Amino acid sequence: MHEMALMGDIVQLIEEDATAQGITKIEKVELIVGEISNAMPDALRMAFEIFRDQNLHFFSQDAQLVIHTEEAKAQCVLCGTQYRPRQKIALCPECKIPSGKLLSGETFQILSYEGSSD
Ligand SMILES: [Zn+2]
């Protein structure tokens, strides 16, 4: 499950940033996850709970992960049709060829986190 690795990176980034800002307990983490990024929300939630429970010196016991889904959008470079691709190779529904350029849906990033300095 590569979401463990993704979440490990996120936890590390947040820990570094929070430490620099004097934040000692993380209460909430918000992510933006594209529909066709390689990360599955359920697996991310599971990974988050594992990291949280292993790092209670740094995470509040009831720290939450909030996932904002980014809808996938593509536009055909030939006919200009905009559509919602189901995967990274975006097949234009009009031209029936993979002529789509992805506009969104691959994002995987930290939107924000909240914590306290107690
Ligand atoms: Zn097209």
Side-chain angles (χ1 to χ4, degrees), residues 22-80:
I23 293 168
T24 52
K25 278 275 187 218
I26 297 298
E27 312 276 357
K28 187 167 150 188
V29 175
E30 296 193 46
L31 302 181
I32 301 176
V33 180
E35 277 182 336
I36 51 173
S37 74
N38 289 317
M40 302 297 292
D42 285 349
L44 286 171
R45 284 192 195 93
M46 205 185 300
F48 178 79
E49 285 175 16
I50 292 167
F51 276 104
R52 179 192 63 198
D53 294 348
Q54 286 175 351
N55 294 281
L56 289 175
H57 62 281
F58 184 63
F59 280 99
S60 164
Q61 183 113 44
D62 49 6
Q64 286 182 357
L65 178 69
V66 177
I67 294 175
H68 301 269
T69 305
E70 182 190 68
E71 193 175 293
K73 274 193 214 132
Q75 183 166 26
C76 178
V77 296
L78 297 177
C79 71

